[in-house]
């Protein structure tokens, strides 16, 4: 059944509850994080044919052969990043812009890099124009290089899997800062890592096994660049 556009975007109370339940059952309990999810309609980031599945805890296809991550994984990563309203955050892999929008509700400033120009353009449209979030910049760039102009960052989040921890990105993390990323040599399964840069050195914690698309080199050659 087709829902009116407003309900489709905001979801029914039952759909919203289903999402919050999925988050909680995966250990996402931080009230600020849950609030950010409630305020960010995932349907806005999806193509028409997937909008009615926006509230399910599933990854879904987006343009350029990429995927919007599963909400419970977005929630776990966001919670592990411990973003405060003072934080300047860098995200690598803007994709649909959903994660960037969640971060924008928690942080002072968010920069998000995407190697597919059409995705970056679309994500910008949704985040800035439709949701009216003014503290996010989504740019087309090779995220593996980070964003030296704006470094250092208080938080860095990778939503594409690196084979090893990228030292260039670590060098752009402020002391006291936190980086969360999927790391692994296989496309099938990676480990979610949290790295804290303390005055005594790097402190690593392993979170959970995850599956992300790989971090690729360079900006993509898309047809409608
Ligand atoms: N965070 C996204 C989902 C990420 S999917 C969301 O909320 O929708 C991973 C994204 O990382 C893909 O869009 C892919 O194109 C991008 N990516 C992969 N390697 C990259 C790189 N080197 N620089 C920037 N983006 C990259």
């Amino acid at each position: 059944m087709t829902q009116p556009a407003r309900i489709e975007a905001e979801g029914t109370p039952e759909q919203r509850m289903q999402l919050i339940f999925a988050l909680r059952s995966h250990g996402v309990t931080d009230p600020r994080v849950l609030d950010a999810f409630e305020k960010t309609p995932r349907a806005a980031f999806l193509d028409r044919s997937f909008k009615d599945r926006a509230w399910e805890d599933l990854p879904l296809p987006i343009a350029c052969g990429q995927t919007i991550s599963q909400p419970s994984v977005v929630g776990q990563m966001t919670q592990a990043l411990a973003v405060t309203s003072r934080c300047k955050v860098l995200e690598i892999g803007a994709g649909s812009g959903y994660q960037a929008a969640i971060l924008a509700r928690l942080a002072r400033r968010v920069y998000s890099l995407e190697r597919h120009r059409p995705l970056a353009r679309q994500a910008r449209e949704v985040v800035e124009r439709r949701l009216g979030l003014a503290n996010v910049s989504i740019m087309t760039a090779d995220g593996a290089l980070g964003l030296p102009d704006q470094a250092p960052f208080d938080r860095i989040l990778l939503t594409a899997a690196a084979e090893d921890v990228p030292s260039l990105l670590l060098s752009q993390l402020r002391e006291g800062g936190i980086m969360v990323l999927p790391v692994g040599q296989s496309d099938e399964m990676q480990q979610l890592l949290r790295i804290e840069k303390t005055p005594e050195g790097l402190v690593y914690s392993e979170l959970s096994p995850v599956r992300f698309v790989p971090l690729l080199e360079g900006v993509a050659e898309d047809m409608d660049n």
Side-chain angles (χ1 to χ4, degrees):
M1 198 172 71
T2 339
Q3 295 179 330
R6 217 177 101 83
I7 299 278
E8 191 174 77
E10 293 177 8
T12 63
E14 292 75 23
Q15 284 173 317
R16 291 216 296 274
M17 217 147 68
Q18 184 192 348
L19 178 67
I20 297 301
F21 181 77
L23 290 167
R24 284 188 177 279
S25 65
H26 284 85
V28 182
T29 53
D30 181 332
R32 287 185 74 235
V33 173
L34 293 172
D35 186 57
F37 272 89
E38 291 214 59
K39 289 186 174 138
T40 310
R42 189 168 179 246
F45 298 87
L46 290 166
D47 285 347
R48 181 151 301 284
S49 48
F50 293 109
K51 279 191 194 292
D52 58 348
R53 312 204 61 184
W55 300 91
E56 295 175 36
D57 192 25
L58 290 173
L60 291 166
I62 54 173
C64 304
Q66 305 302 312
T67 47
I68 182 171
S69 312
Q70 191 172 345
S72 59
V73 174
V74 176
Q76 288 173 65
M77 291 175 99
T78 307
Q79 183 164 277
L81 208 57
V83 182
T84 73
S85 56
R86 293 192 186 165
C87 287
K88 179 159 79 166
V89 184
L90 175 66
E91 182 196 15
I92 312 297
S96 68
Y98 180 59
Q99 170 79 74
I102 301 269
L103 291 171
R105 304 225 185 251
L106 300 166
R108 173 170 59 84
R109 194 79 182 77
V110 176
Y111 295 88
S112 183
L113 308 180
E114 171 54 55
R115 66 187 292 276
H116 286 284
R117 197 176 302 277
L119 278 180
R121 197 185 295 135
Q122 171 70 16
R124 220 168 15 239
E125 164 78 22
V126 178
V127 169
E128 293 175 11
R129 293 258 297 271
R130 270 200 264 165
L131 301 191
L133 295 167
N135 61 338
V136 197
S137 301
I138 298 178
M139 292 171 270
T140 307
D142 180 1
L145 306 176
L147 193 58
D149 286 0
Q150 294 295 338
F153 295 94
D154 302 295
R155 303 287 186 265
I156 299 180
L157 176 64
L158 275 81
T159 62
E163 287 194 8
D164 296 297
V165 177
S167 51
L168 192 58
L169 293 180
L170 263 183
S171 73
Q172 294 180 22
L173 186 65
R174 191 192 299 281
E175 193 174 286
I178 300 171
M179 177 160 161
V180 171
L181 75 165
V183 176
Q185 262 87 43
S186 115
D187 283 358
E188 301 301 314
M189 198 55 87
Q190 307 109 19
Q191 188 68 38
L192 201 56
L193 278 189
R194 179 189 196 267
I195 306 173
E196 190 166 351
K197 200 181 220 181
T198 74
E200 292 77 40
L202 300 171
V203 178
Y204 292 78
S205 19
E206 287 196 356
L207 304 176
S208 53
V210 282
R211 187 176 175 179
F212 276 88
V213 299
L215 185 71
L216 299 177
E217 265 181 39
V219 168
E221 300 285 332
D222 293 300
M223 295 297 278
D224 66 338
N225 267 1

